[in-house]
Amino acid sequence: MAEQLKDLADDRALLGRTSTAERVSDILRSRIAEGYFPPGTRLSEDSIGGALGVSRNTLREAFRLLTHERLLVHELNRGVFVRVLTVEDVEDIYRTRRLVECAVVRGLGEPPYALDALAGAVAEGRRAAREGDWKAVGTANIHFHRELVALAASERTDELMRSVFAELRLAFHVVDEPRALHEPYIARNVAILEALQAGERDEAERLLAGYLDDSLKRVVEVYRRRVGDDAGV
C-alpha cells in the first residue's frame, strides 16, 4: 500500500494542471458556441494563452480535450482550428439528439414534471424574438433542449449533450438565415412545454420527434448550400 500511495502522491501535481485545463476548455467551449471563434478559425496559442494567462502546456491540454469533443481539429504543420462540420456530422448530431432527447421524454415517469427551467427557456426565446435578436433565439432554443435533457437528472447525459449542443452551434454559425432557421421552432417549443405541463408525455415525445426531423431537413438543406457535402478545415 505504501508504494501505491507514493505513486498516487506523484500524481498530485496533475490535479492543478488538469483542473486548469478543464476550466480553460470550458471557457473556449462557451466562446466557440457563442460564435466568438467561428468555424474555420485558427486558434493562436500565444494570443489565447496570453489572454487567459495560462501556460502553453495547459492550453494544449485544453485544445486536446476540445479536439476529443470534435469542436477543434489539429492540422499537421498548420495548427489548431475550430472545426467546420460536414453534412454527415450534422446528420449524426441530429441522430444522437433524437435518440437521447426522445428517450429522456419517454422515461420521465408520472407527472407533474419540474418544468420551470424549460418554461424559462421558452420565455427567453419569445423575448429575443420580440427584440429581433435571432441569434439569441437560437441560443434560447439550445437552452430549451438542454433543459429538456436535464429533466433526466443524469450528469452523464448532461455531459454527453453539452458537447453535442456545442457541435450543433458550429453548424448554426455557418447558416446565414438565422430567423428562417429558428423562428418556426418558438411555437413548437411552446407546444412541447404545454404537452408536458398537461402530463401528456407521449404527445410531447411525438411533437419532439417531428420537430427534430423537420429541423434536420432544414439545417441540412441550408448547410449543404452554404458549405457542401465535404466540408472541413
Side-chain angles (χ1 to χ4, degrees), residues 113 190-201 203-204 207:
Y113 310 120
V190 172
I192 292 170
L193 173 63
E194 289 177 345
L196 291 173
Q197 288 172 330
E200 297 173 355
R201 183 184 58 192
E203 175 64 6
L207 292 171

Side-chain angles (χ1 to χ4, degrees), residues 74-110:
H74 180 265
E75 291 287 313
L76 188 62
N77 298 324
R78 294 189 64 210
V80 175
F81 295 79
V82 179
R83 280 193 68 203
V84 178
L85 303 182
T86 65
V87 169
E88 184 179 53
D89 289 325
V90 176
E91 291 171 338
D92 193 41
I93 287 167
Y94 271 88
R95 187 180 304 115
T96 302
R97 292 185 65 192
R98 204 180 195 283
L99 285 170
V100 174
E101 293 185 48
C102 289
V104 166
V105 173
R106 192 181 314 123
L108 282 178
E110 295 302 315

Side-chain angles (χ1 to χ4, degrees), residues 20-216:
T20 302
E22 289 176 348
R23 289 198 297 270
V24 170
S25 69
D26 285 342
I27 292 169
L28 293 179
R29 185 188 301 105
S30 296
R31 290 294 190 175
I32 290 168
E34 292 164 3
Y36 187 84
F37 299 114
T41 302
R42 182 181 180 276
L43 301 185
S44 166
E45 288 186 2
D46 291 339
S47 298
I48 294 175
L52 294 177
V54 297
S55 71
R56 188 180 295 266
N57 285 341
T58 295
L59 187 59
R60 286 177 175 173
E61 174 63 11
F63 284 172
R64 188 192 68 78
L65 292 171
L66 295 176
T67 299
H68 180 70
E69 294 180 19
R70 295 173 296 277
L71 297 178
L72 303 180
V73 60
H74 180 265
E75 291 287 313
L76 188 62
N77 298 324
R78 294 189 64 210
V80 175
F81 295 79
V82 179
R83 280 193 68 203
V84 178
L85 303 182
T86 65
V87 169
E88 184 179 53
D89 289 325
V90 176
E91 291 171 338
D92 193 41
I93 287 167
Y94 271 88
R95 187 180 304 115
T96 302
R97 292 185 65 192
R98 204 180 195 283
L99 285 170
V100 174
E101 293 185 48
C102 289
V104 166
V105 173
R106 192 181 314 123
L108 282 178
E110 295 302 315
Y113 310 120
L115 301 174
D116 287 350
L118 201 65
V122 166
E124 177 188 351
R126 284 173 152 174
R127 183 167 56 251
R130 286 195 299 271
E131 295 169 357
D133 188 344
W134 300 104
K135 181 179 177 181
V137 171
T139 298
N141 191 43
I142 293 290
H143 290 168
F144 176 85
H145 290 276
R146 186 182 65 195
E147 296 301 340
L148 188 70
V149 169
L151 293 175
S154 165
E155 291 184 6
R156 291 175 179 82
T157 306
D158 289 343
E159 183 176 352
L160 166 67
M161 295 306 291
R162 179 183 64 178
S163 296
V164 170
F165 290 140
E167 280 193 273
L168 181 64
R169 289 307 294 265
L170 293 182
F172 286 173
H173 292 316
V174 171
V175 176
D176 62 351
E177 305 169 1
R179 178 172 185 170
L181 182 65
H182 300 304
E183 187 174 28
Y185 298 97
I186 297 172
R188 297 179 80 160
N189 287 346
V190 172
I192 292 170
L193 173 63
E194 289 177 345
L196 291 173
Q197 288 172 330
E200 297 173 355
R201 183 184 58 192
D202 292 345
E203 175 64 6
E205 183 184 355
R206 186 190 67 79
L207 292 171
L208 176 61
Y211 175 129
L212 293 174
D213 289 346
D214 291 345
S215 180
L216 170 60

